Amino acid sequence: MTKGALYEIPVFQLGGLIYPHMIIIAHRSNFPVPLLLPATMFANLIYEIDNKAHRLNITVPDDESHIRNLTIKDDNGRLHVFCSSAE
């Protein structure tokens, strides 16, 4: 179990992707990564993790929206973040 502060980012833009009203949980930790991005943020997109250049490359297919809506669900005390829809 972990505790943290709940914040809302009005618009989180990751390259060409836009996540309006993104909810995040911030907590103090020795974990070296400031933000973990769940794979569901990239549902129906083409993504590549380039370990050599240290980049995350995302391609949005023509039939997919650039605007993605995320939802946080509580499943018996475990929080899950997933992409609930694309506009």
Side-chain angles (χ1 to χ4, degrees):
M1 181 172 161
T2 187
K3 293 182 180 181
L6 189 63
Y7 296 97
E8 179 180 319
I9 300 174
V11 176
F12 178 73
Q13 187 161 354
L14 182 65
L17 293 174
I18 300 169
Y19 296 89
H21 309 291
M22 183 175 164
I23 304 295
I24 63 166
I25 299 169
H27 62 92
R28 293 183 181 189
S29 170
N30 292 330
F31 195 65
V33 179
L35 179 64
L36 294 176
L37 303 176
T40 55
M41 288 178 67
F42 312 113
N44 300 318
L45 304 179
I46 301 164
Y47 57 95
E48 168 196 37
I49 298 172
D50 183 342
N51 285 326
K52 188 171 185 176
H54 305 287
R55 297 182 55 88
L56 170 64
N57 301 310
I58 302 168
T59 302
V60 180
D62 291 337
D63 61 343
E64 283 292 323
S65 173
H66 283 77
I67 300 174
R68 321 290 280 175
N69 294 307
L70 297 180
T71 301
I72 295 179
K73 261 193 169 176
D74 183 340
D75 181 18
N76 294 324
R78 293 188 65 196
L79 296 178
H80 301 273
V81 179
F82 61 97
C83 183
S84 59
S85 67
E87 291 181 4

